[in-house]
């Protein structure tokens, strides 16, 4: 898998990416809106799962590296997975290393992967979830053209207390990027 944008490339992870992946997942900011960060074993398992899913056919989950197009520097990760085959709904999620925030890389990555979902995965609907306190993710969802479907009340435990989540979506007939 290789999707090339103006400034970034979305590509499958390789074994050489583990150091970056581990650093990203261990960064407290990556999981600040979740109940806890993954431990070392979970990070290793998640990475190996991303590596092995490259060979799935049909592929129902893509965990991709976001890297700079010019020099290949990894800057984050983005994923999309099939949620509900009957309605062709795919769920997208992302995490960008804080050193690369505020450069538009996450926006470009999300737009590239949503476009791929509609053009190559036969998606009808792409959804994203975010903790209602995660203003940056909500702004990104709005920026790429997603619309709020609603608020899921107290659907997760976050830092020991119940938290709410936004759900945003975009439909294939709305996507024009």
């Amino acid at each position: 898998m290789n999707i090339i944008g103006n400034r970034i490339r979305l590509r499958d992870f390789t074994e050489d990416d583990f150091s970056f992946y581990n650093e990203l997942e261990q960064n407290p900011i990556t999981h600040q809106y979740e109940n806890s960060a993954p431990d070392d074993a979970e990070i290793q398992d998640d990475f190996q799962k991303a590596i092995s899913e490259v060979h799935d056919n049909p592929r129902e989950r893509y965990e991709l590296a976001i890297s700079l197009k010019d020099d290949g520097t990894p800057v984050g990760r983005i994923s999309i997975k099939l949620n509900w085959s009957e309605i062709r709904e795919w769920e997208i999620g992302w995490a960008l290393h804080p050193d690369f925030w505020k450069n538009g890389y996450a926006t470009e990555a999300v737009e590239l992967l949503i476009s791929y979902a509609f053009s190559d995965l036969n998606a009808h609907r792409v959804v994203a979830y975010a903790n209602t306190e995660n203003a940056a993710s909500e702004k990104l969802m709005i920026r790429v053209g997603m619309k709020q479907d609603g608020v899921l009340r107290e659907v997760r435990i976050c830092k020991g207390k119940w938290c709410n989540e936004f759900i945003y979506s975009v439909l294939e007939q709305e996507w024009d990027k």
Side-chain angles (χ1 to χ4, degrees):
M1 161 75 66
N2 199 25
I3 304 171
I4 300 171
N6 293 328
R7 299 174 306 138
I8 62 166
R9 174 186 317 253
L10 307 182
R11 60 172 176 76
D12 288 314
F13 279 104
T14 67
E15 293 290 345
D16 293 340
D17 293 311
F18 181 72
S19 176
F20 171 79
Y21 186 92
N22 188 50
E23 179 184 340
L24 179 65
E25 292 304 303
Q26 287 192 0
N27 190 314
I29 293 174
T30 301
H31 299 283
Q32 69 181 327
Y33 296 106
E34 299 174 20
N35 198 38
S36 63
D39 62 26
D40 291 343
E42 290 170 313
I43 292 170
Q44 181 67 44
D45 288 347
D46 289 346
F47 184 76
Q48 288 308 315
K49 184 177 178 185
I51 297 287
S52 69
E53 288 173 336
V54 169
H55 306 292
D56 289 354
N57 191 10
R59 196 165 173 185
E60 295 184 353
R61 183 174 176 272
Y62 298 78
E63 180 82 27
L64 306 170
I66 304 169
S67 60
L68 298 181
K69 186 169 130 179
D70 293 339
D71 65 8
T73 301
V75 299
R77 65 169 166 75
I78 190 165
S79 64
I80 194 163
K81 67 178 183 173
L82 181 62
N83 265 1
W84 193 354
S85 61
E86 291 82 13
I87 63 168
R88 301 180 355 246
E89 178 184 273
W90 290 75
E91 178 183 338
I92 192 168
W94 56 87
L96 204 67
H97 193 285
D99 291 350
F100 299 95
W101 286 5
K102 306 240 184 249
N103 291 299
Y105 298 137
T107 300
E108 185 176 347
V110 171
E111 288 177 345
L112 284 170
L113 197 51
I114 290 175
S115 290
Y116 180 80
F118 290 131
S119 66
D120 292 57
L121 299 177
N122 193 32
H124 168 68
R125 171 182 162 84
V126 176
V127 300
Y129 296 86
N131 184 308
T132 55
E133 294 180 16
N134 188 344
S137 281
E138 183 182 24
K139 286 177 185 174
L140 190 152
M141 292 184 280
I142 293 167
R143 195 166 41 252
V144 301
M146 299 181 97
K147 295 181 175 45
Q148 188 185 100
D149 287 343
V151 176
L152 304 173
R153 300 178 314 137
E154 296 187 359
V155 293
R156 290 186 191 234
I157 303 285
C158 306
K159 305 295 183 221
K161 64 179 180 112
W162 287 106
C163 63
N164 301 331
E165 281 191 335
F166 289 123
I167 179 171
Y168 275 74
S169 69
V170 61
L171 305 176
E172 61 186 320
Q173 67 265 24
E174 297 169 336
W175 191 252
D176 62 357
K177 300 205 187 298

